[in-house]
């Protein structure tokens, strides 16, 4: 289903998919770390998280002349600014009240409703790159899933030296090295499949090595980053939406970090 939506369905379908993922992810995050104050901000935060990809889509559609009737406005920036203003308005209004909103709840909401959706929306930005977007959108997935898979098996077979025992006891240095290999292999598969699909080479060996190695490092950092949050708040999984994998944040934690990197690198390399 994910492959069909990202690779073959219209761009607006990717927008809908990413919007749903952002909304669910924001709910999972606030549910895990927000406490009672955070729960009161849940509806607003989930709504804004879902609107971020919509704003990104509208901005890019106007730039590519698909929606010429709309003016060019920084919709995502305006949404973010309005969201922050509303959060602080609520915090000021409820200050010293029984249902006060502490600053920690405000920052939780900003991360869940803005930072996380902006990062994940880079999947949509990649999908909307002219001509090769239907291939580029799979780069973060190939890197992350390749890195995760090889890191898992390398750690099981050769793992001896713990990498971050207090954060993720099962992760090892040997597994991390295997993850680097997996990231490159994932991009290698991406290169061959992409060349077969469009009958032309859209990335070369240099890009495969660069995307694979650097992307794997960022992928593993993303995995550990969300593990830090779970450790601090005593959460085993963010959700139960995906049987055997937890929630959206559990499955797409590394993709969330790799997507902005892949988009930035693709933009720099042209």
């Amino acid at each position: 289903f994910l492959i069909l939506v990202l690779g073959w369905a219209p761009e607006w379908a990717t927008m809908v998919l990413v919007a749903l993922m952002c909304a669910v992810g924001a709910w999972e995050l606030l549910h895990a770390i927000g406490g009672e104050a955070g729960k009161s901000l849940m509806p607003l935060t989930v709504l804004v998280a879902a609107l971020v990809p919509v704003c990104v889509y509208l901005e890019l559609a106007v730039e590519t002349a698909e929606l010429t009737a709309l003016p060019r406005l920084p919709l995502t920036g305006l949404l973010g600014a309005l969201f922050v203003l509303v959060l602080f308005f609520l915090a000021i209004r409820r200050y010293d009240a029984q249902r006060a909103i502490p600053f920690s709840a405000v920052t939780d909401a900003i991360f869940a409703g803005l930072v996380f959706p902006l990062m994940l929306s880079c999947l949509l930005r990649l999908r909307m790159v002219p001509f090769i977007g239907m291939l580029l959108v799979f780069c973060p997935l190939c890197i992350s899933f390749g890195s995760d898979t090889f890191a898992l098996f390398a750690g099981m077979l050769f793992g001896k030296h713990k990498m971050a025992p207090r954060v993720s006891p099962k992760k090892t240095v040997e597994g991390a090295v295997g993850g680097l290999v997996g990231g490159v292999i994932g991009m290698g598969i991406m290169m061959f499949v992409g060349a077969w699909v469009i009958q032309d080479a859209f990335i070369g060996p240099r890009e495969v090595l660069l995307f694979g190695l650097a992307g794997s490092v960022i992928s593993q950092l993303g995995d550990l980053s969300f593990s830090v949050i779970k450790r601090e708040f005593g959460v085993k999984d963010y959700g139960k939406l995906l049987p055997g994998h937890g929630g959206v944040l559990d499955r797409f934690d590394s993709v969330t970090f790799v997507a902005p990197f892949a988009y930035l690198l693709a933009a720099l390399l042209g």
Side-chain angles (χ1 to χ4, degrees), residues 51-125:
L51 287 176
V52 167
V54 177
C55 291
V56 170
Y57 173 80
L58 293 175
E59 287 180 1
L60 294 176
V62 170
E63 289 180 8
T64 56
E66 291 184 20
L67 294 174
T68 54
L70 294 177
R72 291 195 174 188
L73 295 173
L75 298 176
T76 309
L78 292 173
L79 174 67
L82 180 61
F83 180 48
V84 173
L85 287 174
V86 171
L87 287 175
F88 276 101
F89 171 78
L90 293 174
I92 293 169
R93 185 172 183 180
R94 297 185 188 178
Y95 187 74
D96 270 348
Q98 186 175 1
R99 296 181 60 199
I101 300 175
F103 182 65
S104 59
V106 173
T107 55
D108 291 343
I110 291 174
F111 183 79
L114 273 184
V115 178
F116 161 68
L118 283 171
M119 295 171 74
L120 195 60
S121 291
C122 286
L123 285 176
L124 177 59
R125 292 183 180 276

Side-chain angles (χ1 to χ4, degrees), residues 125-224:
R125 292 183 180 276
L126 287 167
R127 176 63 181 86
M128 295 184 72
V129 172
F131 306 115
I132 59 172
M134 76 291 294
L135 296 174
L136 287 178
V137 70
F138 289 105
C139 287
L141 301 176
C142 289
I143 294 170
S144 298
F145 296 159
S147 178
D148 289 350
T149 302
F150 274 74
L152 173 64
F153 286 105
M156 290 172 58
L157 293 173
F158 310 109
K160 292 182 180 180
H161 302 88
K162 301 294 184 181
M163 185 168 63
R166 293 186 178 181
V167 176
S168 187
K170 293 183 180 181
K171 285 184 169 39
T172 62
V173 174
E174 293 80 5
V177 174
L180 296 177
V181 176
V184 174
I185 291 177
M187 278 304 301
I189 295 173
M190 181 74 222
M191 179 182 70
F192 286 112
V193 172
W196 176 76
V197 169
I198 65 174
Q199 298 298 306
D200 193 10
F202 77 105
I203 54 174
R206 182 191 67 169
E207 288 78 12
V208 167
L209 194 62
L210 181 60
F211 272 79
L213 289 176
S216 176
V217 172
I218 295 173
S219 172
Q220 295 181 55
L221 177 62
D223 192 349
L224 289 170

